[in-house]
């Protein structure tokens, strides 16, 4: 099928199910209303495509209604939290839209997470059901949609907030999963602010190689497609060159990515040419090293724009000109964002960065925190002003940043503590073997001969998401401690 052909709807609903959803009033949701306007203007509008298939607004609209029918048939009350298990692309779009049609809150799950990892998240948030959505394309490019809803026991209270659109997971304390509850109004405000700041247009074709379950990918991909009408360009596989090949073949204009991806390309013996159609390349999820930004300009002849944001509030700063990262800055505040620095003990006017904007989430779930809410988010980032730009200095907490994913060491320590033979354990971040990027490191105290590194890694793999599994493992008889009984973190570097 050619790229303009509409994806064919092949999933058959149970008899009468369609009438259930059609008979209910449509929820008052701005995100849903925006997508409905796009679908009404042109059901043939291509929302997502690869080099071999495409999915139209009409197809995704129909699929989302199937999802809503399933939810209504299961008698889930409005405001119910439902886990969304769907890969990036049409399945994710349809699943999210369908849950909003049913006035449910989508708990955005990491599709790469281990079963135990996901179970902890569902239990912590109190999800009432788990929605599985998948799309497959045959050799002719016809896209098929499959949906399954598993209702699960839940201790969730009666729903009170059907206006909550999503819960996006972020790092919690003491290893406990924690999410950020966000309304549709906040999502729309963040998307609009970023589009105006970055100059995103309705006719943009955006490379969709980011996870859609994280706020960076959710805003730049999911919302850009269903609110603004941008077309998502889907890589054909997980290979490192697949996003670039898809961008070149489909004439992509925007490429949101992470610094680690660019660094991996630059380590190739012959880095690929950057597609001429790409007018905007941006990175987020981790600091963009000045050397990487300079190397990108040298190789591609164009700048790469740094973007700084957080799950709790969306966009914070953006490098509008494309040269701030080369100076070690994350640029200036996003439109509509107000930044303040809480004074710290460190010299130079630095402080903990706080954000006030319309994109801030409602609060953390299941346990609220005074640092988030009422339009304000207090980050754990120590920063300073340099002129009108913000420079990030370091994190004030222990969170490890692995390829843009946030890893809570306490969660990994909790899993490792359950391994027979482990007496004590501490988890930190360290540089990878090539000196680029950060990996998770575990220092495990155990009796000699009881464990080895392979056993420790094997224990973690089915219990943790891939990016949380330690890549550096040291076995010691006892953990180094200071005279006060605290872990001697400086000594851990030599363990």
């Amino acid at each position: 099928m050619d790229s303009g052909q509409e994806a064919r709807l092949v999933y058959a609903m149970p008899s009468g199910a369609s009438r259930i959803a059609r008979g209910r009033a449509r929820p008052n949701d701005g995100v849903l209303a925006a997508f409905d306007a796009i679908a009404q203007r042109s059901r043939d509008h291509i929302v997502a495509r690869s080099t071999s298939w495409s999915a139209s607004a009409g197809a995704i609209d129909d699929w989302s209604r199937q999802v809503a029918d399933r939810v209504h048939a299961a008698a889930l009350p409005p405001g119910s939290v439902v886990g969304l298990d769907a890969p990036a692309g049409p399945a994710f779009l349809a699943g999210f839209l369908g849950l909003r049609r049913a006035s449910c809150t989508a708990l955005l799950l990491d599709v790469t997470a281990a079963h135990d990892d996901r179970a902890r998240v569902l239990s912590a948030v109190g999800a009432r059901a788990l929605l599985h959505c998948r799309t497959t394309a045959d050799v002719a490019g016809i896209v098929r949609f499959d949906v399954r809803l598993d209702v699960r026991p839940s201790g969730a209270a009666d729903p009170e907030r059907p206006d909550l659109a999503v819960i996006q997971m972020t790092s919690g304390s003491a290893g406990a999963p924690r999410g950020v509850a966000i309304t549709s109004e906040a999502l729309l405000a963040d998307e609009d602010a970023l589009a105006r700041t970055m100059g995103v247009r309705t006719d943009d074709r955006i490379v969709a190689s980011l996870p859609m379950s994280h706020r960076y990918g959710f805003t730049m991909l999911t919302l850009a497609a269903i609110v603004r009408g941008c077309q998502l360009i889907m890589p054909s596989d997980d290979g490192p060159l697949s996003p670039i090949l898809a961008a070149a073949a489909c004439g992509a204009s925007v490429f949101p990515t992470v610094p680690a991806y660019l660094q991996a390309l630059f380590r190739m013996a012959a880095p690929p040419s950057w597609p001429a159609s790409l007018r905007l390349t941006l990175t987020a999820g981790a600091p963009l090293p000045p050397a990487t930004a300079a190397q990108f300009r040298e190789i591609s002849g164009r700048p790469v724009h740094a973007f700084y944001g957080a799950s709790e509030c969306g966009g914070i700063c953006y490098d509008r000109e494309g040269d701030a990262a080369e100076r070690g800055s994350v640029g200036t505040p996003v439109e509509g964002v107000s930044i303040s620095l809480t004074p710290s003990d460190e010299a130079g006017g630095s402080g903990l960065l706080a954000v006030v904007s319309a994109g801030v989430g409602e609060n953390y779930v299941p346990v609220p925190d005074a640092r988030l809410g009422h339009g304000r988010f207090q980050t754990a980032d120590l920063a300073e002003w340099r002129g009108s730009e913000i420079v990030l200095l370091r994190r004030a907490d222990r969170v490890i940043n692995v390829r843009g994913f946030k890893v809570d060491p306490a969660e990994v320590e909790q899993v490792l503590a359950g391994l027979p033979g482990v007496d004590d354990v501490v988890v930190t971040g360290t540089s990878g073997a090539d000196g680029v990027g950060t990996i998770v490191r575990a220092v495990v105290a155990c009796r000699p001969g009881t464990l080895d590194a392979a056993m420790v890694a094997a224990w973690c793999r089915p219990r943790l998401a891939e990016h949380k599994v330690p890549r550096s493992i040291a076995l010691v008889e006892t953990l180094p401690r200071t005279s006060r009984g605290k872990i001697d973190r400086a000594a851990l570097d030599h363990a």
Side-chain angles (χ1 to χ4, degrees):
M1 135 178 135
D2 65 34
S3 62
Q5 185 174 345
E6 179 175 334
R8 185 177 302 165
L9 181 65
V10 298
Y11 179 82
M13 290 301 299
S15 176
S18 177
R19 291 190 294 274
I20 297 174
R22 301 307 194 275
R24 292 176 181 248
R26 192 179 76 178
N28 182 20
D29 184 284
V31 173
L32 189 57
F35 175 76
D36 286 347
I38 291 171
Q40 289 167 8
R41 284 197 301 271
S42 173
R43 290 180 61 82
D44 293 332
H45 172 70
I46 300 302
V47 175
R49 62 171 293 198
S50 74
T51 55
S52 59
W53 56 262
S54 64
S56 69
I60 291 173
D61 178 44
D62 288 340
W63 296 338
S64 72
R65 294 179 188 278
Q66 292 176 22
V67 170
D69 287 343
R70 275 296 174 94
V71 173
H72 290 313
L76 294 181
S80 296
V81 176
V82 179
L84 176 56
D85 169 30
F92 189 96
L93 299 176
F96 167 67
L97 288 167
L99 290 176
R100 293 311 297 148
R101 291 194 189 285
S103 295
C104 288
T105 302
L107 170 60
L108 307 183
L109 298 172
D110 181 355
V111 294
T112 68
H115 179 272
D116 288 0
D117 211 20
R118 181 173 302 182
R120 283 196 295 271
V121 170
L122 291 168
S123 177
V125 176
R128 293 178 179 268
L130 179 59
L131 176 69
H132 306 269
C133 295
R134 294 291 185 274
T135 50
T136 56
D138 61 20
V139 293
I142 304 300
V143 182
R144 291 173 169 79
F145 180 73
D146 295 298
V147 59
R148 185 176 85 250
L149 182 71
D150 297 332
V151 179
R152 59 194 307 274
S154 170
D158 290 337
E160 298 179 355
R161 295 291 304 272
D163 62 319
L164 293 178
V166 298
I167 295 176
Q168 293 186 312
M169 300 309 297
T170 186
S171 299
S173 60
R178 180 175 67 174
V180 179
I182 311 171
T183 64
S184 286
E185 288 77 7
L187 293 175
L188 286 170
D190 184 39
E191 191 280 334
D192 179 68
L194 290 183
R196 288 185 287 115
T197 300
M198 298 176 179
V200 176
R201 306 189 302 250
T202 57
D203 62 346
D204 272 324
R205 298 182 174 189
I206 307 176
V207 179
S209 59
L210 299 170
M212 287 187 174
S213 57
H214 295 266
R215 188 139 186 190
Y216 176 29
F218 189 84
T219 304
M220 292 300 303
L221 303 177
T222 305
L223 294 181
I226 64 180
V227 171
R228 197 158 297 274
C230 299
Q231 186 178 111
L232 301 184
I233 304 302
M234 309 300 303
S236 59
D237 56 49
D238 294 330
L241 294 182
S242 189
I244 294 179
L245 294 175
C250 300
S253 54
V254 178
F255 195 151
T257 185
V258 295
Y261 178 76
L262 299 181
Q263 292 166 333
L265 292 180
F266 297 158
R267 289 196 296 272
M268 293 181 175
S273 299
W274 209 244
S277 62
L278 288 171
R279 65 174 179 80
L280 173 61
T281 301
L282 64 146
T283 72
L288 177 61
T292 302
Q295 191 171 14
F296 182 87
R297 185 188 294 273
E298 180 181 353
I299 291 176
S300 71
R302 282 160 283 179
V304 56
H305 300 255
F307 171 46
Y308 164 53
S311 299
E312 289 86 348
C313 62
I316 300 174
C317 288
Y318 179 67
D319 171 14
R320 289 167 169 81
E321 302 301 323
D323 57 0
E326 296 174 48
R327 298 190 297 273
S329 160
V330 291
T332 53
V334 167
E335 291 193 28
V337 171
S338 175
I339 291 175
S340 63
L341 300 182
T342 302
S344 70
D345 294 333
E346 298 195 18
S350 63
L352 287 175
L353 188 147
V355 176
V356 174
S357 79
V360 173
E362 296 294 285
N363 216 315
Y364 291 112
V365 290
V367 181
D369 189 312
R371 292 174 295 178
L372 175 65
H374 305 290
R376 183 180 186 276
F377 170 52
Q378 174 66 66
T379 76
D381 292 322
L382 194 69
E384 66 180 14
W385 289 102
R386 290 185 187 171
S388 61
E389 297 180 345
I390 284 288
V391 175
L392 299 179
L393 303 177
R394 63 174 176 81
R395 296 282 293 183
D397 57 15
R398 292 181 57 209
V399 172
I400 305 168
N401 196 319
V402 180
R403 304 191 307 275
F405 293 91
K406 306 300 188 296
V407 179
D408 183 356
E411 180 184 2
V412 184
E413 290 166 357
Q414 188 178 63
V415 168
L416 283 171
L419 172 62
V422 171
D423 296 326
D424 207 348
V425 60
V426 63
V427 170
T428 63
T430 189
S431 297
D434 56 1
V436 177
T438 301
I439 60 175
V440 176
R441 183 171 191 259
V443 181
V444 177
C446 61
R447 287 174 293 177
T450 58
L451 296 172
D452 59 32
M455 295 169 64
V456 173
W459 174 265
C460 292
R461 288 191 191 101
R463 295 172 173 83
L464 292 168
E466 183 272 337
H467 60 278
K468 299 178 183 177
V469 176
R471 294 294 188 270
S472 172
I473 299 170
L475 303 178
V476 298
E477 292 189 41
T478 59
L479 294 180
R481 295 182 180 273
T482 66
S483 58
R484 297 173 59 189
K486 295 181 178 294
I487 295 293
D488 186 346
R489 298 193 174 275
L492 285 177
D493 294 339
H494 306 289

